[in-house]
Amino acid sequence: MKESNNGALLVPWLTANYHFGEIQNNWNLSLGLSNPFDTTADVSLHRDDFEIGKSSYLWELHAPRTSISIKQPEKWNVESRAMGVRLLEGGTTRTDTFKFNTNPADDVREWGTAVITVDEKSYELVVPSSLFKYCHGNVDPRDLKDLGHIPRPKERE
């Protein structure tokens, strides 16, 4: 961790994972956000209502409909586009991947609100700007003096 000029601790990460817990229809909702340049999100729905002897692939590829956007304080919303749907091994989890529109960065570190919609219901989560401003999750290795950008953690051997 490094300390910024204003005393805030800056913690590097590759992906931030959030678990919302149980939502409608006894499903569980999780979110993985990363921001190497433009923000990417994995919205995961998990269900435990499978029965032995019946198909474990209970998810449909296009239902329920999911979406995600990020509200910025006193600015525009950062919108996303669905890029893919995956049924994970075992069929109890479905992950929808989204790529966000480029969000012009400034030097202001702030908080935004991720809004995930599953069919007609919405779930909100406060997230740091390092997860949604353009290149805030990346660093130029030639410019390490800028404490607003810190190097990624070293790869594990």
Side-chain angles (χ1 to χ4, degrees), residues 1-2 10-16 33-40 99 109 130-144 146-156:
M1 288 190 286
K2 290 189 176 186
L10 301 174
V11 181
W13 59 66
L14 296 177
T15 302
L33 280 176
S34 62
N35 184 19
F37 293 100
D38 290 323
T39 303
T40 301
K99 189 82 167 173
R109 296 276 176 177
S130 57
L131 288 174
F132 63 85
K133 284 190 176 180
Y134 181 70
C135 289
H136 269 224
N138 200 9
V139 63
D140 181 347
R142 299 165 295 185
D143 189 18
L144 295 179
D146 178 8
L147 290 178
H149 293 91
I150 54 181
R152 291 179 182 268
K154 291 183 179 179
E155 297 264 339
R156 292 185 180 172

Side-chain angles (χ1 to χ4, degrees), residues 35 37-40 68 70 76-81 98-104 132-134:
N35 184 19
F37 293 100
D38 290 323
T39 303
T40 301
I68 182 170
I70 297 176
W76 57 89
N77 287 349
V78 187
E79 301 297 332
S80 69
R81 178 177 178 88
F98 297 87
K99 189 82 167 173
F100 283 77
N101 294 332
T102 298
N103 182 23
F132 63 85
K133 284 190 176 180
Y134 181 70

